[in-house]
Amino acid sequence: MNDEKLLKIIEKYADEEGALLNILLETQKKYNYLPREVLSKISSERNIPLSRLYSVATFFKNFSLTPRGKHTIHVCMGTACQIWGGKKLVDKVGEDLNIKPGETTEDLNFTLETINCPGTCGLAPVVMIDSEIHAKVSRNKISSLIKKYKK
Ligand code: FES
């Protein structure tokens, strides 16, 4: 792989302690996940064993080794949100997009994740799409939101 932007990311953190995390974070931001060939390139350029890169990439939840969607739908599965229908929202997203939690649509537009209580229980059931919180979400509302983010 000969990607100029990737090489710039690797060089940018050349002399920094803790550079590995910064390189992986910026690489993840660039590709939206950590492709195998990119990890191989980082490994060879920085002389870091590939196994160490995989170890770090799988330890932190922020990193993904599989392609992720342009938008991430986080459905809260905390107690309050479950009482108010959180599971039904997960099912509805699954029906609308044909994916399960942890999966990404084939068009790479959406990834579905479940989360546990971001601390906004008074707004239950809560859905976060990217960094935007949506309150008191119904099955109809989640379908409308998905259509809005498809644009
Ligand atoms: S349980 Fe969902 S926001 Fe607290």
Side-chain angles (χ1 to χ4, degrees), residues 76-81 117-121 124 126:
C76 180
M77 293 299 283
T79 306
C81 287
C117 194
T120 53
C121 306
V126 168

Side-chain angles (χ1 to χ4, degrees), residues 3-147:
D3 185 323
E4 203 172 298
K5 283 185 181 171
L6 175 62
L7 290 175
K8 280 186 180 165
I9 292 170
I10 294 169
E11 285 168 17
K12 182 175 169 183
Y13 298 104
D15 300 323
E16 253 184 51
E17 199 158 302
L20 176 56
L21 273 182
N22 287 327
I23 290 170
L24 292 179
L25 282 168
E26 207 163 314
T27 303
Q28 163 106 5
K29 193 172 168 190
K30 174 180 168 20
Y31 295 95
N32 217 10
Y33 79 111
L34 297 172
R36 174 188 293 262
E37 62 273 16
V38 167
L39 289 178
S40 294
K41 183 72 176 175
I42 294 170
S43 171
S44 62
E45 288 290 324
R46 292 302 303 263
N47 200 22
I48 300 169
L50 194 55
S51 60
R52 177 143 184 259
L53 293 178
Y54 275 103
S55 171
V56 173
T58 53
F59 181 79
F60 293 100
K61 203 178 175 204
N62 282 356
F63 295 125
S64 176
L65 297 172
T66 54
R68 297 192 49 91
K70 181 175 157 198
H71 302 290
T72 303
I73 301 172
H74 292 100
V75 179
C76 180
M77 293 299 283
T79 306
C81 287
Q82 285 215 45
I83 289 169
W84 290 99
K87 172 77 171 79
K88 288 180 182 169
L89 296 178
V90 171
D91 293 344
K92 182 62 176 157
V93 174
E95 281 171 30
D96 287 2
L97 296 175
N98 199 26
I99 53 174
K100 296 178 192 139
E103 293 181 349
T104 298
T105 55
E106 278 182 22
D107 63 3
L108 297 180
N109 211 12
F110 294 100
T111 296
L112 172 61
E113 300 281 358
T114 58
I115 53 171
N116 284 314
C117 194
T120 53
C121 306
L123 306 175
V126 168
V127 172
M128 260 177 72
I129 302 181
D130 302 330
S131 58
E132 195 175 347
I133 291 182
H134 301 276
K136 301 188 185 303
V137 179
S138 64
R139 283 173 58 90
N140 285 341
K141 187 173 177 181
I142 192 74
S143 291
S144 300
L145 288 169
I146 288 169
K147 282 181 191 146

